[in-house]
Amino acid sequence: MTNEALQYLIGDWFPEPEAVKLQFSTEGPQFLNVSIDPDQLLVLMRFLKNTPETDFDYLFCLTGVDWGKELGVIYHLESTTHRHILVVRVTTPDRETPTLDTVSDLWRTAEFHEREVFDFFGIRFNGHPNMKRLFLTEDYVGYPLRKDFSDEVNMIVK
Amino acid sequence: METATVNTNFKSEEYFINMGPQHPATHGVLRLLLTIDGEVIKKVEPDLGYIHRSIEKMCERNSYQQIIHLTDRLDYLSSHINNEAVCLAVENALGVEIPERAKVVRTIIGELTRIASHCLWWGVLGMDVGALTTYFYGFRDREMINDIFEETCGARLTMNYSLPGGLMFDIHPNFISRVKAFITHFRSKLPEYDTLLTNNVIFQKRTKGVGVLSKEAAISYGASGPVGRASGYSCDVRKHHPYSALNKVTFKEILKTEGDTFARYQVRIEEMWESLSIIEQLIDNIPEGNFQVATDAVIKLPKGEFYQKVETARGELGVFIISTGTKNPYRLKFRSPGLSNLSLLNHIAVGGKVGDLVASMATLDLVIPDIDR
C-alpha cells in the first residue's frame, strides 16, 4: 500500500482528526509518520495490526525519546506480507508520572522494549505484564536517557 | 525484590535456580532465573545489565565519526557490519554516494565477518552441548579470516574499517589472494562440520523438536536473522532492503519450516555456503578507483530522522538517528537482534528440560553487549 493510500485509510478510522490529534507527516526522508493522542494509541494500533489491508504484524523498533518538554515513544511498524512501513509517534507532556498504554499484547517484542523505555525514560506502560527495570538495578535513581539527567560522579560534563 | 516477584507464582513442588552469569552458554554475563519443577522449566526470566555501558548516551555526546568506534563494541563478532550500519545511515542522511570499490569491499568484508561469527558460534555450540573438538575446528577457520582482517585494517575484532564516505584504507595487496585461499580452504572444511556435528545422532536427538518457535511467534517477538528464518519467516534484510553491493549478487535466502533448535542450526551452516558464494561473485570484480570520498571533518546531519537496517550475523540491526542538525545525534537508538531474540527464550523454553535450554539458547547465538545498551 502506498503512503497516500495508508493515509486515507487511517484518516477513515478517525472521522474527527482534531479531537484525537491525528497528524500525518511525510517530511522525513523515509517513512510516513503518524502522530496521535496517547488516549487513542491503542485504538490506532489495534486497527493497524488487525486490518487485513494494513496488517502491520512486525514492530521492528520501539524508541523512547525525550523531546525536552515532552516524553514520547516512536514505533516503527512493518508488514511482512505487504512490506510497507509506518512510523507511529506518541508524546506525553507529563514528566512526573508519564504513562502510556502497552502494545505488548499486540506485539510481544514490545514487552522488553517497553521495559527498556521505562528503564531509561521512566515512562510507565499501562497493562504491561512485568513493568520493571530491564538493564539497571531496581534501586537505581533517575532515568539516564532523559535530557535533564545528570550524574556528578560518573558523568563527564562537557 | 527479585525473590518477591518469583515467589508470587511459586508452588511448593517448584524451585528456582540461577543459571549464569558464569555458565559458558551465556557467554559471560547473562543471568537466567529459572523456575523449574523437577527438570521441567516453568519460567525463564533473563536478568540483563551486567555490562551496561550506556552506549546510547555516549552516542548522544559524540560526533558521528566517533560513534563508529563505539558500535563495533556492541556486537563484537559482527563489528564490521555494525560499523557499516551507522556509516550507511550517515551517508544516506547526507546524500553521499560512496565509490563502487568501497561498496564491494564492504560487502566482502561483511560476509567474511558473518562466516567468522558463525564459525565461532558453531564451535561454542558444540562446547555447550559437550563436544569440545568443534571449538578448535571453528577457531582454526576463523583464525584465517582474522588474519585477513588484521592485514587489511590492523584489527582482528573491533574493525573500524568503514567510515562515513567509504573505507579507512584501501585493501592490502594480498587481500584478494588470501580471500581466495580462504574460500578454497573453507569449502573443503565445511563438510567436516557436518561430519562432526550435523550428522551426529546424539546431537540430532538433543536438538530436533526442541525449543520450537512458530512463524507467528517469531514475527510477534521480532525475531530476525537465522532465528526467524528457521521458523519460515523471510526476514533477510539483504534480500528485502539490499545495501552496499548486495543488489549485485545472487544468493539464496535459507528458510526452514521446523523452527526448532536443529533448524536454527542448519540455517547458519547453509548460510555459510551462501556467504562463500557471495564473496566468490565479488572478489574477482572489485572495481578500480577511489575507496572513499571526502566528507567534512565535522559531520553535521540535516534535521530529521534516519533509519537504516542491516543484516548482521545475528539478524536485523537497526540504527535510528534523530538529528536536530548539530554535530551529534539528538537521540540514537540501536535496534539490536540480540534483545529481540532473547525475549523469545521464555516462550520456547517453557515445558522443556534444563539441558534443552542450553542447546536452544546456543542456537539463539546471543552476544551479550548486543543485548545491553
Side-chain angles (χ1 to χ4, degrees):
Chain A
M1 197 176 264
T2 59
N3 283 351
E4 290 77 36
L6 267 176
Q7 194 168 335
Y8 278 119
L9 188 72
I10 296 166
D12 282 347
W13 294 335
F14 298 95
E16 288 173 65
E18 289 80 26
V20 295
K21 298 187 189 123
L22 182 74
Q23 278 175 347
F24 293 95
S25 150
T26 43
E27 269 175 50
Q30 277 172 307
F31 314 121
L32 176 67
N33 276 248
V34 184
S35 59
I36 186 115
D37 189 71
D39 293 342
Q40 296 296 314
L41 175 72
L42 265 188
V43 180
L44 174 69
M45 288 305 211
R46 282 205 193 98
F47 270 131
L48 290 173
K49 168 89 194 300
N50 299 328
T51 312
E53 292 90 62
T54 49
D55 194 24
F56 285 105
D57 52 355
Y58 179 35
L59 175 69
F60 64 91
C61 192
L62 194 160
T63 313
V65 189
D66 181 358
W67 290 111
K69 287 192 179 111
E70 293 174 320
L71 292 166
V73 176
I74 297 178
Y75 305 83
H76 281 76
L77 296 166
E78 184 172 353
S79 163
T80 58
T81 44
H82 307 300
R83 294 283 168 195
H84 48 216
I85 291 176
L86 182 73
V87 182
V88 178
R89 338 158 50 92
V90 60
T91 52
T92 164
D94 185 357
R95 290 184 75 90
E96 295 302 311
T97 51
T99 45
L100 292 172
D101 289 327
T102 181
V103 295
S104 61
D105 49 340
L106 295 169
W107 299 279
R108 300 297 297 271
T109 183
E111 221 170 278
F112 267 42
H113 284 101
E114 284 176 351
R115 275 176 70 187
E116 188 188 319
V117 173
F118 170 62
D119 203 352
F120 295 153
F121 293 91
I123 302 173
R124 286 194 162 270
F125 290 87
N126 297 325
H128 190 286
N130 190 16
M131 194 76 265
K132 58 178 190 181
R133 284 187 182 268
L134 183 66
F135 295 115
L136 300 169
T137 48
E138 292 285 322
D139 55 356
Y140 191 88
V141 181
Y143 302 107
L145 278 181
R146 284 197 185 185
K147 292 289 174 187
D148 55 5
F149 174 83
S150 84
D151 179 347
E152 264 80 40
V153 181
N154 298 309
M155 244 165 86
I156 305 161
V157 183
K158 277 182 193 169
Chain B
M1 277 303 277
E2 214 87 77
T3 329
T5 20
V6 171
N7 274 341
T8 47
N9 299 320
F10 212 51
K11 296 195 191 75
S12 60
E13 65 271 21
E14 291 173 355
Y15 57 103
F16 74 95
I17 55 169
N18 283 301
M19 195 162 142
Q22 260 69 46
H23 191 278
T26 58
H27 302 281
V29 278
L30 171 72
R31 168 172 162 242
L32 297 178
L33 267 159
L34 307 182
T35 310
I36 53 180
D37 178 2
E39 229 189 308
V40 179
I41 296 170
K42 295 287 176 195
K43 192 182 171 197
V44 182
E45 198 182 338
D47 182 7
L48 318 174
Y50 279 82
I51 53 164
H52 176 63
R53 300 171 299 179
S54 66
I55 192 133
E56 290 176 355
K57 189 83 177 175
M58 276 153 72
C59 288
E60 285 176 13
R61 305 167 70 84
N62 281 307
S63 72
Y64 290 98
Q65 284 99 330
Q66 288 171 317
I67 290 171
I68 311 289
H69 302 269
L70 299 174
T71 51
D72 45 41
R73 272 78 178 170
L74 266 178
D75 180 351
Y76 47 79
L77 299 178
S78 286
S79 52
H80 176 79
I81 313 179
N82 287 15
N83 294 163
E84 203 179 346
V86 179
C87 290
L88 287 167
V90 171
E91 285 154 10
N92 288 348
L94 290 173
V96 169
E97 181 74 17
I98 67 163
E100 287 300 312
R101 186 177 178 83
K103 286 186 190 175
V104 170
V105 172
R106 271 186 187 178
T107 310
I108 295 172
I109 301 255
E111 292 311 310
L112 283 173
T113 309
R114 192 181 317 281
I115 295 175
S117 170
H118 284 358
C119 281
L120 188 140
W121 156 82
W122 182 78
V124 175
L125 166 81
M127 200 177 68
D128 285 346
V129 297
L132 198 60
T133 317
T134 60
Y135 193 74
F136 301 109
Y137 280 51
F139 268 73
R140 172 198 63 195
D141 301 331
R142 182 171 174 269
E143 200 62 19
M144 283 185 80
I145 299 179
N146 279 356
D147 288 342
I148 297 173
F149 290 167
E150 190 176 11
E151 202 175 54
T152 294
C153 69
R156 296 167 66 84
L157 203 62
T158 49
M159 302 269 292
N160 293 317
Y161 188 39
S162 285
L163 82 174
L167 302 168
M168 195 81 83
F169 330 99
D170 203 357
I171 49 173
H172 191 271
N174 293 343
F175 179 77
I176 295 173
S177 61
R178 289 193 79 156
V179 170
K180 280 181 172 171
F182 169 75
I183 294 173
T184 321
H185 165 85
F186 200 51
R187 274 200 190 282
S188 70
K189 295 297 178 193
L190 248 179
E192 245 178 31
Y193 286 32
D194 291 334
T195 322
L196 263 173
L197 210 57
T198 320
N199 302 331
N200 184 314
V201 181
I202 305 170
F203 177 69
Q204 289 195 6
K205 292 227 167 180
R206 282 196 63 179
T207 51
K208 278 190 177 168
V210 169
V212 179
L213 177 71
S214 69
K215 187 181 170 187
E216 288 69 37
I219 297 172
S220 179
Y221 276 101
S224 56
V227 178
R229 293 197 280 282
S231 302
Y233 165 35
S234 165
C235 58
D236 199 325
V237 181
R238 294 174 295 170
K239 279 277 180 205
H240 297 293
H241 307 274
Y243 53 94
S244 293
L246 283 162
N247 47 6
K248 290 203 186 75
V249 291
T250 49
F251 67 100
K252 208 168 74 210
E253 183 180 10
I254 311 292
L255 288 173
K256 301 277 167 200
T257 48
E258 295 88 355
D260 58 2
T261 305
F262 192 63
R264 288 192 283 276
Y265 171 88
Q266 279 179 307
V267 168
R268 288 200 184 85
I269 292 285
E270 289 176 33
E271 216 173 77
M272 287 200 267
W273 288 104
E274 292 302 316
S275 291
L276 278 180
S277 133
I278 294 175
I279 299 169
E280 261 180 339
Q281 290 171 51
L282 294 172
I283 193 72
D284 281 323
N285 308 309
I286 301 179
E288 295 295 324
N290 251 338
F291 54 90
Q292 54 168 243
V293 288
T295 48
D296 295 338
V298 178
I299 292 179
K300 284 186 182 172
L301 289 202
K303 221 174 154 186
E305 294 171 6
F306 310 97
Y307 191 89
Q308 174 69 44
K309 46 170 106 181
V310 295
E311 180 83 14
T312 74
R314 263 146 287 281
E316 177 181 328
L317 173 80
V319 176
F320 181 46
I321 299 175
I322 301 179
S323 165
T324 48
T326 57
K327 65 180 169 52
N328 35 18
Y330 184 77
R331 169 96 169 94
L332 194 149
K333 155 97 183 170
F334 292 107
R335 182 263 183 234
S336 67
L339 185 67
S340 304
N341 288 353
L342 178 69
S343 70
L344 56 84
L345 186 62
N346 181 54
H347 179 79
I348 60 172
V350 168
K353 305 270 169 62
V354 179
D356 295 343
L357 177 69
V358 179
S360 344
M361 194 160 64
T363 53
L364 293 184
D365 196 11
L366 303 174
V367 164
I368 305 302
D370 187 41
I371 296 166
D372 274 291
R373 282 293 155 276

